[in-house]
Amino acid sequence: KGGLLGRPVELVHYDDQSNPSTVPGIYTKLLDVDKVDVIVGGYGTNMLAPAMPVVMQRKKTFLGLFGLGVNHEFNYDRYFAMIPTGPTPTTSFTEGFFGTAMAQNPKPKTVAIVAADAEFSKNASDGARINAKKAGLKIVYDKSYPPSTTDFSPIVRAIAATNPDLVVICSYPLDSVGMVLAVNEAKFMPKMIGGGMVGLQSTVFKTKLGPALNGFINYDFWLPTKSMTFAGTDAFMKKYQERATKAGVDPLGYYMAPFGYAYLQVLGDAITATKGTDDAKLAAYLHSHTFKTVVGEVKFGANGEWVKSRVLQAQFRGIKGNGVDQFKDPNTEVIITPAEYKSGSLIYPYEKARQ
């Protein structure tokens, strides 16, 4: 758009190397050496949580991208979560998975929960336990694995030995790939499987796994359906995909791109409306207004989370081969829940969706 407040916008950024220990130093440098006017968070819980002490000490307004329950313990009134998990982020991540499962006839009775031993997965699996208890399900397997794990076959075999109706997996990208492949290799057929697997939203992993994804039900935040098309969405995605192809990055960009744009839309609107970068004024405005973005309306609650959850649970199906173009078809990943964004009905059980 050419800038804000009549000034060009300069992006000052450093690579955190996906290493949480680099984060405090990066934000200290941004504020003390580069003397930036405003800051935003990097990607994910593990990179946002280490920034919070520095941010709070300097009383900066801080928008974080895709952090799950980051502000749960900090309770910082200038933190805002750009993730549609709503006021109860830990449970909302798998709420749709459990709600969908319990609507089946006959109802499932048992569940296995497996998670990486890291911040996001711990939060998501904590929520899964709460949801399982609320649903009256018996937890027959509940274990975590080290982040360094590369062979998931023994884990899948151990889960299969408990014969669960449902399997909830809370994993990171490479773990998610390993889990999908191990489940296929073992021909393990629970009634539903997935839930909280990071990475399956990315085109590189969709094309790598191809038909092995069929039947998995997993969270997502945005997909190219009519129900998720808002003002500016189509124009943004067209421009992104044109640039992405030339740059050699994710050619579809369904997961990161819309929210990466939207959280700067929100910040830009707040700066324009308050006519400056005063952190107290920005935070007050962010708390008190609703923002229209390419991912829909965004309204923040008291703790900086969204007022209403909008986590999708979507089912992979009809995937053939490993071509990228098939993933442009909304029928390869159908939104099952929430109801207002539903684009298709669940194929149940998992074995049927594999056919």
Side-chain angles (χ1 to χ4, degrees):
K1 292 184 178 180
L4 292 168
L5 306 177
R7 295 163 50 189
V9 175
E10 179 186 358
L11 291 176
V12 183
H13 55 89
Y14 299 99
D15 183 3
D16 62 26
Q17 302 166 42
S18 297
N19 182 350
S21 68
T22 67
V23 172
I26 286 174
Y27 282 96
T28 300
K29 185 178 182 183
L30 286 168
L31 293 167
D32 292 348
V33 179
D34 299 312
K35 299 190 182 301
V36 297
D37 296 305
V38 292
I39 54 173
V40 292
Y43 163 73
T45 313
N46 293 3
M47 299 301 117
L48 293 169
M52 290 296 282
V54 177
V55 170
M56 293 168 67
Q57 184 183 30
R58 310 304 176 87
K59 297 182 179 179
K60 298 296 290 182
T61 292
F62 191 54
L63 280 84
L65 183 64
F66 290 172
L68 184 63
V70 171
N71 206 27
H72 179 66
E73 293 184 8
F74 293 107
N75 292 311
Y76 181 51
D77 65 355
R78 295 184 184 179
Y79 172 81
F80 300 89
M82 204 61 187
I83 183 173
T85 44
T88 55
T90 53
T91 54
S92 69
F93 225 76
T94 53
E95 206 163 32
F97 182 94
F98 282 98
T100 299
M102 299 314 292
Q104 305 310 307
N105 186 19
K107 294 181 186 296
K109 296 180 179 179
T110 58
V111 60
I113 299 171
V114 60
D117 187 10
E119 190 80 19
F120 156 77
S121 301
K122 287 179 181 177
N123 290 346
S125 60
D126 284 347
R129 286 183 204 97
I130 293 168
N131 287 329
K133 185 177 179 181
K134 193 185 299 182
L137 290 161
K138 180 182 179 183
I139 300 175
V140 294
Y141 181 99
D142 187 0
K143 293 184 179 180
S144 61
Y145 58 85
S148 58
T149 301
T150 56
D151 182 4
F152 293 90
S153 296
I155 296 172
V156 169
R157 286 197 298 269
I159 295 170
T162 66
N163 195 31
D165 294 324
L166 313 176
V167 179
V168 173
I169 304 171
C170 302
S171 51
Y172 284 87
L174 295 181
D175 314 355
S176 299
V177 172
M179 283 286 191
V180 171
L181 293 174
V183 166
N184 276 261
E185 182 184 332
K187 295 181 170 55
F188 178 35
M189 297 287 178
K191 291 176 181 174
M192 274 177 60
I193 186 167
M197 305 175 75
V198 179
L200 302 189
Q201 304 78 11
S202 300
T203 307
V204 65
F205 295 125
K206 289 178 181 179
T207 54
K208 176 182 175 64
L209 292 167
L213 285 168
N214 284 329
F216 273 79
I217 299 165
N218 197 41
Y219 87 92
D220 217 314
F221 297 143
W222 188 87
L223 286 166
T225 63
K226 288 183 179 179
S227 62
M228 305 223 73
T229 301
F230 309 98
T233 307
D234 285 342
F236 166 73
M237 291 305 298
K238 183 175 184 292
K239 183 176 284 188
Y240 166 83
Q241 288 173 356
E242 287 172 354
R243 291 187 180 183
T245 301
K246 294 174 185 174
V249 296
D250 188 329
L252 301 182
Y254 297 155
Y255 186 55
M256 292 290 294
F259 276 82
Y261 185 82
Y263 92 138
L264 292 181
Q265 262 189 304
V266 167
L267 181 60
D269 287 353
I271 290 171
T272 300
T274 60
K275 296 181 172 60
T277 58
D278 179 273
D279 287 285
K281 291 179 181 178
L282 288 174
Y285 190 85
L286 289 166
H287 274 300
S288 59
H289 287 75
T290 299
F291 298 86
K292 294 185 183 301
T293 76
V294 294
V295 297
E297 287 195 351
V298 176
K299 171 70 176 171
F300 299 107
N303 61 351
E305 301 288 350
W306 286 27
V307 168
K308 184 181 178 183
S309 171
R310 203 198 70 188
V311 178
L312 312 176
Q313 284 286 332
Q315 185 178 43
F316 291 101
R317 58 222 219 177
I319 299 168
K320 298 174 182 177
N322 301 86
V324 67
D325 285 345
Q326 65 184 320
F327 293 104
K328 295 177 182 178
D329 181 351
N331 292 319
T332 57
E333 194 173 356
V334 174
I335 299 172
I336 306 300
T337 184
E340 59 264 42
Y341 300 104
K342 183 176 179 178
S343 63
S345 298
L346 177 72
I347 299 175
Y348 182 90
Y350 169 67
E351 184 175 11
K352 187 177 179 183
R354 298 282 306 150
Q355 296 169 359

